[in-house]
Amino acid sequence: LQYRESVLRGAGQTSLRPLLARLDELNGALTAVEERFSEALGEGSRWLEKVVMSALFLLVLMVEGVGLTLTFLTSRSISSGIRNLREAAQRIGAGNLTDPVTSRSQDEIGQLADSVDGMRKTLERSYSELERRVEERTARLAALAAENERLYHKAEDAVKMREEFLSIASHELRTPITILELQLHLAARAFREQSRSPEHIETILTQSIGQIRRLGRLSEQLMDLTQVRLGKLLLEKRPGELRRLLSEVIEQNSLEASRQGIQIHFPATGSPLKGVFDPLRISQVMTNLITNAIKYGNGKPIEIQMTDREGVAVIEVRDEGQGISAEKLPLIFERYERGENSEKTPGMGLGLYISRQIVEAHGGSITAESQLGRGSCFRVLLPLELEAQAMARPDPTPSLAQPDRSH
């Protein structure tokens, strides 16, 4: 500043020399200071550079470490997700559709896991529906197979029964027809040649009438069997007296019993046992029991009893004939079952079967007691309904039709 003022005042060189010398000293001192500052600045710069480089190195290491850690964790997560998806796919492929596919993240792997789980649920619903339909179809097929088997066995039984029925029917019908034809030929020849007495001709005609009646009974049994098998056994219930009805049946069979020397014992007096029933059907039952007693009674007496047991008529037909074995007794009310030595006695084995159907249609029951060689006792229990009671309540056997019997 002094040097500048001196120059501006116009000082000479001589006065300016000390100032210049002083400036040179100051310049030298400043140069030394600048050199020291430069050295200090260089050292500081080099320290700062080391610090910065160390920080950058550490930062790079930290970034690399974080990157490697994130890469490892991401790779592990992806591997775990892929492994879970692979295991889920194997379970689904093996048919296990119940275990869910878990999703542990919301990234693409998690979204894929959710999609696979949705597919699993859809397959589970479809498989459940398919199983249900298969079970229903299997049940229907099993029921159809069982029904077909039942129908097949029923058809087999029907064919067997038809063949057995035709065999028995043809044999039983052929016998009275052959006898009837022979008797009519004998009667015609006796009339033509007049070689026989009227009594003998009457006997032949009486026997022919018996064969005609036998044919009638066989025909009725065939029609009754058909009606029973169709569940259309005809009933026409009306008020009546059982004692009078039974007396008429005994009178109708007395001629045949007398011809074989058999006496039928039945009390003429007693309660009339009034009730509502089908007289023709009950008469048919009584006829079957009495004719059986005549056929298998070995010419011994027949005892018939009728009592009233608290509104139930108890009818017993007892004979002292050949009886029925213990093995055969439970079967006598079945179709085509016949008594002991049945080959020696005519019949189709339908009388007791149809009798049981008729009695049960009236709400009653029929049973038998017998010992081989000591006779048999058939017992019929028939409810005695008053007319008002029969009209007030429905028929206990709705499967049995009651149409017109004019046929």
Side-chain angles (χ1 to χ4, degrees):
L1 181 62
Q2 291 177 0
Y3 181 79
R4 182 174 175 278
E5 291 178 351
S6 297
V7 173
L8 292 176
R9 283 196 312 267
Q13 292 290 330
T14 303
S15 58
L16 293 174
R17 282 191 185 114
L19 294 173
L20 289 173
R22 182 64 179 166
L23 287 174
D24 289 337
E25 292 176 1
L26 292 174
N27 190 29
L30 183 60
T31 300
V33 171
E34 287 180 350
E35 289 178 355
R36 287 197 301 274
F37 177 75
S38 296
E39 290 177 0
L41 185 63
E43 290 179 0
S45 176
R46 286 191 296 273
W47 177 83
L48 183 61
E49 181 180 4
K50 290 180 181 179
V51 171
V52 170
M53 291 300 295
S54 298
L56 288 175
F57 180 74
L58 292 175
L59 181 61
V60 169
L61 288 178
M62 184 176 3
V63 169
E64 289 292 332
V66 171
L68 290 174
T69 302
L70 292 176
T71 300
F72 174 75
L73 294 177
T74 303
S75 175
R76 184 176 179 180
S77 176
I78 293 174
S79 299
S80 176
I82 293 175
R83 183 174 62 255
N84 290 336
L85 288 176
R86 184 175 63 252
E87 293 175 353
Q90 291 175 350
R91 291 196 303 270
I92 293 174
N96 183 3
L97 302 176
T98 57
D99 294 339
V101 181
T102 57
S103 173
R104 299 178 181 176
S105 63
Q106 299 297 325
D107 56 4
E108 289 79 1
I109 299 296
Q111 295 175 2
L112 181 59
D114 293 338
S115 300
V116 172
D117 192 61
M119 179 187 69
R120 177 195 64 80
K121 293 178 180 178
T122 302
L123 288 174
E124 184 179 12
R125 287 192 298 268
S126 301
Y127 187 74
S128 299
E129 179 66 17
L130 181 61
E131 278 189 333
R132 184 184 65 81
R133 293 183 179 180
V134 169
E135 288 178 356
E136 291 178 354
R137 182 63 59 86
T138 302
R140 286 198 296 268
L141 290 176
L144 183 61
E147 179 65 14
N148 289 337
E149 184 178 4
R150 185 186 69 81
L151 292 176
Y152 176 75
H153 290 305
K154 187 176 180 180
E156 279 190 333
D157 293 340
V159 171
K160 182 179 179 181
M161 286 169 45
R162 183 195 64 184
E163 293 176 352
E164 185 178 3
F165 171 76
L166 292 176
S167 175
I168 296 175
S170 62
H171 176 268
E172 295 298 330
L173 291 174
R174 188 186 306 115
T175 301
I177 290 175
T178 302
I179 296 174
L180 179 61
E181 182 180 8
L182 177 60
Q183 289 173 342
L184 292 177
H185 278 300
L186 291 175
R189 188 172 67 178
F191 272 113
R192 185 173 59 252
E193 299 176 355
Q194 296 183 353
S195 58
R196 298 289 183 176
S197 64
E199 293 78 8
H200 182 75
I201 296 175
E202 182 182 2
T203 302
I204 295 176
L205 293 178
T206 302
Q207 293 175 352
S208 300
I209 293 173
Q211 295 300 325
I212 292 174
R213 289 177 178 173
R214 181 182 172 190
L215 282 173
R217 287 196 299 269
L218 292 175
S219 300
E220 289 177 357
Q221 288 183 350
L222 295 179
M223 289 190 296
D224 289 340
L225 177 63
T226 303
Q227 291 175 350
V228 168
R229 293 182 62 183
L230 294 177
K232 297 180 179 180
L233 183 64
L234 304 177
L235 289 180
E236 279 188 6
K237 294 183 180 181
R238 60 175 179 265
E241 296 182 4
L242 279 177
R243 184 170 295 276
R244 178 182 299 178
L245 177 65
L246 184 53
S247 297
E248 293 175 355
V249 173
I250 294 173
E251 181 64 25
Q252 293 169 3
N253 291 273
S254 60
L255 181 61
E256 179 65 21
S258 299
R259 193 176 65 86
Q260 298 192 29
I262 297 176
Q263 295 181 352
I264 300 178
H265 300 291
F266 177 65
T269 60
S271 173
L273 297 182
K274 296 181 179 181
V276 178
F277 49 86
D278 187 329
L280 292 180
R281 291 300 185 184
I282 298 301
S283 174
Q284 183 179 353
V285 173
M286 295 297 103
T287 300
N288 286 334
L289 296 182
I290 293 174
T291 54
N292 279 348
I294 293 174
K295 282 194 298 185
Y296 300 103
N298 293 341
K300 296 181 180 180
I302 299 173
E303 298 287 340
I304 300 178
Q305 297 289 335
M306 177 182 290
T307 56
D308 184 357
R309 185 185 299 170
E310 298 180 353
V312 176
V314 181
I315 306 171
E316 293 183 351
V317 178
R318 187 183 302 272
D319 66 72
E320 300 177 7
Q322 63 190 38
I324 306 170
S325 64
E327 295 79 10
K328 209 159 195 175
L329 186 61
L331 306 175
I332 59 174
F333 291 104
E334 301 298 329
R335 280 187 295 250
Y336 312 125
E337 288 295 333
R338 304 170 66 189
E340 306 294 334
N341 301 321
S342 57
E343 67 278 356
K344 298 180 181 180
T345 56
M348 297 176 60
L350 294 174
L352 291 178
Y353 170 75
I354 295 173
S355 296
R356 184 183 67 175
Q357 305 301 319
I358 293 173
V359 174
E360 291 180 353
H362 282 80
S365 63
I366 180 171
T367 57
E369 298 175 0
S370 182
Q371 291 184 6
L372 197 61
R374 301 185 62 179
S376 304
C377 176
F378 287 84
R379 184 176 294 107
V380 176
L381 275 64
L382 189 67
L384 292 174
E385 291 184 338
L386 298 179
E387 184 175 7
Q389 294 174 339
M391 297 294 292
R393 66 182 183 182
D395 191 341
T397 55
S399 63
L400 302 176
Q402 300 184 23
D404 181 24
R405 298 178 62 182
S406 58
H407 68 284

